[in-house]
């Protein structure tokens, strides 16, 4: 599962930073303990020295036992010497035992051995350790929060060029053939590099796409002349005397195929011209008038025009190129005639926001999504170029209209939404 | 009538020349800009059919040169470029008509004839074949003394055939002539058949029988 970069970064920090901090606290605690112990030993030794000095100076006439301070006893039993130990000292008046650290040293005076044991309270030091540790824990917690916040802030700042690159890449559309506008000086070497390679990548893609489009256009252009030659020779040929019926029928087939080829070529050329945005001059087009005129002329020259129901709103005006709208309308109407059934019907509805063309007809034998692709056509129609609807789609794309297709209860419905 | 055809594609040039020679034009062909320029300088033509893309120069320059010299030869541009802008540019340079490749020779013929009529015939503009007569300006047709009542398409169709008499004109050429670019999207040219049928019937009613012959499945021929 993928998550946003910032979130992942924070999550990572929040997972591992506490572990590290816990380990550090533990280490800190151990060190603190060691240092405290060391300090206590030093204190005990110092006290031992001071007490003994006083003892010698007063020739043994000092208090031998002060609770919590020292004990001087003649050495009779062997005890652990010169190593500090923990012990509990019972305070009778307070009725409780308190922890002390003690150190016993063997001293010689007047040929007598004394064991001098000095005491240092452990209570204060362990209180101190706890206080220091709590403070440290608090600071570490603050540190954790600060690191996470700072990290988020700096990540946001650092990754900013990346996000703007991402945004630009998301908005990039090769069909519009525009260059990718990216900063080449982001202040971060890697992002400069990324942007640089993105720009050159997009430029290459644009060039390739442009060449591809150009190729279709050029190829179509180049085909015009040979097509014109074939057509002219055919016209001369059908005027030759002594034409037999058999050769006439062959000529007929050739003529038809050649005309089909010319049509296809012209449509391809038109398609690539629309893609290349070569129809810039847009003006107001009265679609209602154009559609009525078109339907009339189609009705006039099709003997078997489907029964037509019109619902055309007056004065529907679009800002567009006139010839393109004409192509759009005639392709849609024509489509509804070709893909109709015998004694079929056709409904045309035009309003200021949409055009709806419905016609009866057999269920399409290809995926409706593919209807608008080039050369995708139902198998039963061989005389169409297979480019009509893709021209429609291209025009719709150009003017940012919307087109949808539906087949329901024996009716094909194509709807173009203008806005 | 003198005709100059400037076209760099040899086979196409040949076809055009052959077609117009049969139409009893005095035809000359030219495959290069330089050659065409010489011919324009030395002679004057009634009509020039001009391709724009020539190997050694642009046909439009030739046209410009011609108009600078105040020569009023009728000029029809034949070009593979079919955008409106190209057409406008061509007409701006002083061309009288513009036709895109691939075209039908019968269409080119009809346009040349229309141009020449505009140039030389003033006032009445009549085509005749036998006792069939059509008046292009007022768009009326009559058979002997009897007026024919024709629809717009039927009239266009008849005029087209009258412009190409004694020739087989293909159904495709007729469709394109009458319906222009729209014919691109037509799945069949059956409507031409029905138009012809109606036209034949109307002609027969007024006594102009058998002027239009169907030549196998290829097309139609108007002849006496």
């Amino acid at each position: 599962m993928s998550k946003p970069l910032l979130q992942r970064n924070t999550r990572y920090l929040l997972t591992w930073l506490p572990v590290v901090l816990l380990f550090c606290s533990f280490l800190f605690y151990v060190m603190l303990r060691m240092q405290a112990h060391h300090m206590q030993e030093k204190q005990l030794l110092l006290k031992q020295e001071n007490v003994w000095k006083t003892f010698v100076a007063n020739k043994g006439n000092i208090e031998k036992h002060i609770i919590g301070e020292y004990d001087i006893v003649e050495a009779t039993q062997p005890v652990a010497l010169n190593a500090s130990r923990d012990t509990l000292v019972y305070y009778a008046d307070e009725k409780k035992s308190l922890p002390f650290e003690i150190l016993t040293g063997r001293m010689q005076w007047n040929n007598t051995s004394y064991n001098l044991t000095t005491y240092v309270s452990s209570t204060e030091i362990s209180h101190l350790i706890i206080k220091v540790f709590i403070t440290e824990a608090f600071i570490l917690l603050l540190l954790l929060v600060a690191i996470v916040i700072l990290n988020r802030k700096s990540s946001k700042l650092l990754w900013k060029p990346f996000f703007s690159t991402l945004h630009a890449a998301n908005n990039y559309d090769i069909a519009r053939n525009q260059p990718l506008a990216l900063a080449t000086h982001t202040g971060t070497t890697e992002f400069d590099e990324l942007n640089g390679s993105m720009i050159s990548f997009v430029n290459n893609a644009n060039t390739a796409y442009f060449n591809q489009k150009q190729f279709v256009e050029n190829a179509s252009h180049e085909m015009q002349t040979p097509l014109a030659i074939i057509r002219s020779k055919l016209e001369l040929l059908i005027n030759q005397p002594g034409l037999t019926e058999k050769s006439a029928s062959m000529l007929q087939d050739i003529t038809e195929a050649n005309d089909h080829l010319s049509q296809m070529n012209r449509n391809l050329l038109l398609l690539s011209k629309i893609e290349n945005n070569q129809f810039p001059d847009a003006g107001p087009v009265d679609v209602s008038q154009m559609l009525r005129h078109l339907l009339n002329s189609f009705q006039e020259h099709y003997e078997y025009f489907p029964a037509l129901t019109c619902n055309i709103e007056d004065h529907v005006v679009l800002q567009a190129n006139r010839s393109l709208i004409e192509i759009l309308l005639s392709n849609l109407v024509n489509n509804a005639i070709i893909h109709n059934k015998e004694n079929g019907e056709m409904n045309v509805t035009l309003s200021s926001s949409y055009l709806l063309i419905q016609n009866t007809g057999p269920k399409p034998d290809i995926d409706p999504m593919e209807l608008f692709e080039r050369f995708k056509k139902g198998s039963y129609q061989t005389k169409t170029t297979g480019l009509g609807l893709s021209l429609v789609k291209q025009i719709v794309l150009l003017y940012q209209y919307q087109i949808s297709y539906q087949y329901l209860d024996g009716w094909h419905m194509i709807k173009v939404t203008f806005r | 009538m003198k005709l100059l055809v400037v076209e760099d594609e040899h086979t196409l040039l040949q076809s055009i020349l052959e077609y117009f020679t049969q139409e009893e034009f005095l035809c000359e062909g030219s495959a290069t800009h330089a050659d065409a320029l010489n011919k324009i300088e030395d002679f004057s033509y009634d009509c020039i059919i001009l391709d724009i893309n020539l190997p050694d120069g642009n046909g439009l320059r030739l046209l410009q040169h011609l108009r600078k010299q105040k020569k009023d030869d009728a000029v029809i541009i034949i070009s593979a470029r079919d955008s409106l802008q190209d057409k406008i540019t061509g007409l701006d340079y002083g061309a009288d008509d513009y036709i895109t490749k691939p075209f039908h020779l019968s269409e080119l013929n009809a346009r040349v004839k229309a141009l020449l009529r505009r140039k030389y015939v003033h006032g009445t503009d009549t085509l005749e074949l036998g006792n069939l007569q059509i008046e292009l300006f007022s768009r009326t047709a009559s058979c002997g003394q009897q007026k024919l009542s024709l629809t717009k398409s039927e009239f266009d169709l008849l005029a087209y055939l009258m412009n190409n008499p004694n020739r087989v004109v293909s159904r495709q050429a007729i469709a394109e002539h009458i319906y222009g670019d729209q014919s691109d999207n037509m799945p069949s040219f059956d409507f031409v058949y029905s138009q012809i049928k109606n036209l034949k019937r109307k002609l027969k009613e007024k006594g102009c029988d058998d002027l239009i012959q169907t030549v196998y499945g290829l097309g139609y021929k108007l002849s006496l």
Side-chain angles (χ1 to χ4, degrees):
Chain A
M1 227 171 59
S2 71
K3 291 194 180 67
L5 192 67
L6 284 180
Q7 202 179 326
R8 284 198 63 180
N9 193 11
T10 308
R11 195 162 285 219
Y12 189 78
L13 273 179
L14 282 177
T15 315
W16 291 105
L17 208 55
V19 173
V20 172
L21 291 181
L22 268 177
F23 177 73
C24 287
S25 319
F26 174 72
L27 210 64
F28 179 76
Y29 179 73
V30 170
M31 305 271 275
L32 195 63
R33 280 298 301 259
M34 268 170 62
Q35 291 298 330
H37 189 72
H38 185 66
M39 189 195 75
Q40 278 181 319
E41 274 183 346
K42 289 274 182 215
Q43 272 182 320
L44 287 168
L45 276 174
L46 186 69
K47 205 181 242 183
Q48 191 179 55
E49 206 182 310
N50 289 341
V51 169
W52 191 247
K53 269 182 190 160
T54 317
F55 182 78
V56 173
N58 291 303
K59 298 189 170 59
N61 290 324
I62 62 164
E63 195 63 55
K64 293 271 182 7
H65 299 285
I66 296 178
I67 192 161
E69 288 297 324
Y70 60 89
D71 285 327
I72 304 171
V73 288
E74 278 182 34
T76 47
Q77 292 140 351
V79 286
L81 293 174
N82 300 327
S84 59
R85 285 164 288 138
D86 289 324
T87 190
L88 287 172
V89 175
Y90 184 74
Y91 281 81
D93 47 344
E94 286 177 34
K95 288 184 180 152
K96 64 177 180 185
S97 302
L98 294 173
F100 275 82
E101 188 83 7
I102 57 171
L103 181 76
T104 306
R106 174 78 43 96
M107 303 296 170
Q108 298 287 330
W109 186 66
N110 273 353
N111 297 323
T112 319
S113 291
Y114 294 95
N115 281 347
L116 172 55
T117 307
T118 45
Y119 290 76
V120 164
S121 167
S122 294
T123 316
E124 282 73 24
I125 204 84
S126 49
H127 281 179
L128 185 69
I129 286 175
I130 289 168
K131 278 173 190 160
V132 167
F133 188 71
I134 288 174
T135 314
E136 189 251 11
F138 180 66
I139 288 172
L140 286 186
L141 205 68
L142 269 184
L143 204 64
L144 179 75
V145 174
I147 286 175
V148 169
I149 291 175
L150 275 179
N151 190 274
R152 278 187 82 98
K153 292 248 182 233
S154 75
S155 292
K156 254 183 208 163
L157 205 69
L158 278 176
W159 286 100
K160 206 174 164 187
F162 174 78
F163 286 116
S164 58
T165 303
L166 194 68
H167 183 72
N170 277 338
N171 285 341
Y172 173 69
D173 177 9
I174 195 163
R176 273 186 270 152
N177 219 43
Q178 88 275 48
L180 205 56
L182 290 176
T184 42
H185 297 288
T186 57
T188 311
T189 319
E190 286 82 353
F191 290 142
D192 286 353
E193 224 170 275
L194 175 72
N195 286 355
S197 47
M198 284 280 285
I199 288 169
S200 75
F201 173 74
V202 162
N203 285 347
N204 287 344
N206 276 347
T207 312
Y209 188 73
F210 180 74
N211 287 343
Q212 170 76 28
K213 288 198 297 186
Q214 217 47 35
F215 171 77
V216 175
E217 195 178 333
N218 291 342
S220 306
H221 258 305
E222 290 306 314
M223 268 154 71
Q224 304 280 58
T225 305
L227 284 170
I229 293 170
I230 298 173
R231 184 174 274 187
S232 66
K233 296 294 174 197
L234 279 168
E235 267 192 284
L236 292 174
L237 208 51
I238 60 175
N239 277 296
Q240 294 296 311
L243 206 61
T244 64
E245 191 171 352
K246 195 172 175 205
S247 50
S249 112
M250 280 195 240
L251 278 177
Q252 165 75 354
D253 291 345
I254 299 173
T255 309
E256 264 175 29
N258 187 53
D259 283 321
H260 189 64
L261 200 59
S262 309
Q263 270 176 34
M264 201 142 55
N265 195 46
R266 220 177 310 178
N267 278 347
L268 265 181
L269 190 58
L270 191 60
L271 206 54
S272 64
K273 277 186 173 171
I274 299 171
E275 279 179 358
N276 290 342
N277 214 350
Q278 290 179 18
F279 288 91
D281 32 275
V285 180
D286 189 334
V287 186
S288 320
Q289 201 187 350
M290 188 186 273
L291 187 60
R292 284 204 189 96
H293 176 78
L294 203 80
L295 285 168
N296 278 339
S297 92
F298 270 101
Q299 260 171 320
E300 204 180 288
H301 64 240
Y302 277 105
E303 234 173 324
Y304 304 103
F305 197 85
L308 180 66
T309 316
C310 278
N311 189 1
I312 298 175
E313 203 174 281
D314 277 330
H315 307 302
V316 175
V317 176
L318 289 178
Q319 277 292 325
N321 181 295
R322 201 179 167 78
S323 3
L324 289 187
I325 296 298
E326 206 167 317
I327 292 165
L328 177 87
L329 296 180
S330 66
N331 275 314
L332 285 175
V333 170
N334 196 53
N335 193 62
I337 302 170
I338 301 169
H339 300 285
N340 222 312
K341 59 178 189 187
E342 245 178 85
N343 301 318
E345 288 172 64
M346 176 169 157
N347 297 338
V348 179
T349 313
L350 177 72
S351 80
S352 59
S353 58
Y354 69 91
L355 166 70
L356 175 67
I357 296 187
Q358 296 163 292
N359 66 280
T360 50
K363 197 171 164 44
D365 48 6
I366 57 169
D367 180 4
M369 294 309 289
E370 290 182 347
L371 274 175
F372 297 98
E373 300 296 316
R374 292 178 189 191
F375 301 119
K376 292 281 180 188
K377 49 182 180 179
S379 50
Y380 56 92
Q381 281 290 348
T382 49
K383 289 203 169 178
T384 59
T385 57
L387 291 171
L389 283 183
S390 69
L391 270 171
V392 167
K393 186 187 166 193
Q394 214 43 251
I395 296 168
V396 161
L397 277 181
L398 180 70
Y399 290 123
Q400 286 156 7
Y401 304 153
Q402 245 131 58
I403 191 158
S404 61
Y405 169 83
Q406 230 188 336
Y407 184 80
L408 203 69
D409 300 330
W411 285 82
H412 298 276
M413 284 175 257
I414 291 187
K415 185 175 179 180
V416 179
T417 313
F418 302 129
R419 58 183 75 84
Chain B
M1 290 282 174
K2 275 183 82 180
L3 184 74
L4 175 66
V5 185
V6 186
E7 162 66 60
D8 64 325
E9 195 63 47
H10 256 281
T11 31
L12 190 58
L13 179 62
Q14 290 283 300
S15 303
I16 301 172
L17 289 177
E18 191 178 335
Y19 200 92
F20 281 95
T21 307
Q22 285 169 13
E23 291 291 313
E24 287 166 9
F25 277 90
L26 215 58
C27 295
E28 281 185 57
S30 199
T32 61
H33 184 273
D35 185 41
L37 194 63
N38 282 336
K39 285 190 168 132
I40 288 173
E41 294 271 327
D42 295 347
F43 308 101
S44 110
Y45 295 92
D46 297 298
C47 185
I48 300 172
I49 295 171
L50 183 64
D51 185 14
I52 290 183
N53 291 320
L54 297 170
D56 58 342
N58 192 318
L60 289 176
R61 275 201 359 245
L62 215 60
L63 181 55
Q64 214 171 17
H65 180 76
L66 191 74
R67 293 302 182 226
K68 255 187 201 154
Q69 305 231 313
K70 306 279 180 211
K71 291 198 174 186
D72 64 344
D73 312 25
V75 174
I76 294 187
I77 289 177
I78 46 173
S79 167
R81 311 201 155 270
D82 69 344
S83 79
L84 191 63
Q85 196 48 52
D86 291 318
K87 286 176 192 171
I88 291 172
T89 311
L91 299 177
D92 275 351
Y93 271 79
D96 298 284
D97 205 349
Y98 191 107
I99 182 169
T100 41
K101 291 180 190 173
F103 48 82
H104 291 276
L105 290 173
S106 49
E107 176 70 31
L108 184 62
N109 183 29
R111 297 220 194 172
V112 167
K113 284 186 173 169
L115 265 187
L116 293 177
R117 271 198 305 273
R118 231 186 289 157
K119 196 174 164 190
Y120 296 114
V121 183
H122 300 284
T124 55
D125 198 354
T126 317
L127 291 177
E128 276 183 31
L129 189 89
N131 58 351
L132 179 63
Q133 218 177 38
I134 66 170
E135 178 67 49
L136 291 167
F137 190 71
S138 58
R139 298 183 63 87
T140 51
S142 53
C143 202
Q145 294 305 312
Q146 300 206 66
K147 263 194 174 321
L148 290 164
S149 74
L150 301 176
T151 65
K152 181 184 173 293
S153 322
E154 284 163 1
F155 182 84
D156 287 341
L157 172 56
L158 186 59
Y160 192 52
L161 290 175
M162 299 263 300
N163 267 319
N164 290 286
N166 303 311
R167 279 187 180 280
V168 182
V169 179
S170 70
R171 277 201 280 171
Q172 286 82 358
I174 293 172
E176 249 181 71
H177 176 75
I178 298 177
Y179 296 105
D181 286 345
Q182 274 183 41
S183 68
D184 261 12
N185 296 310
M186 293 179 186
S188 80
F189 296 119
D190 290 347
F191 63 90
V192 174
Y193 173 75
S194 57
Q195 301 272 19
I196 289 274
K197 208 170 65 182
N198 292 338
L199 187 59
K200 272 181 160 177
R201 182 174 47 77
K202 288 182 181 177
L203 286 174
K204 199 174 174 183
E205 280 169 6
K206 307 291 178 189
C208 290
D209 297 25
D210 299 328
L211 277 179
I212 301 174
Q213 294 133 38
T214 307
V215 182
Y216 304 116
L218 286 173
Y220 306 95
K221 187 170 169 180
L222 187 72
S223 61
L224 278 175

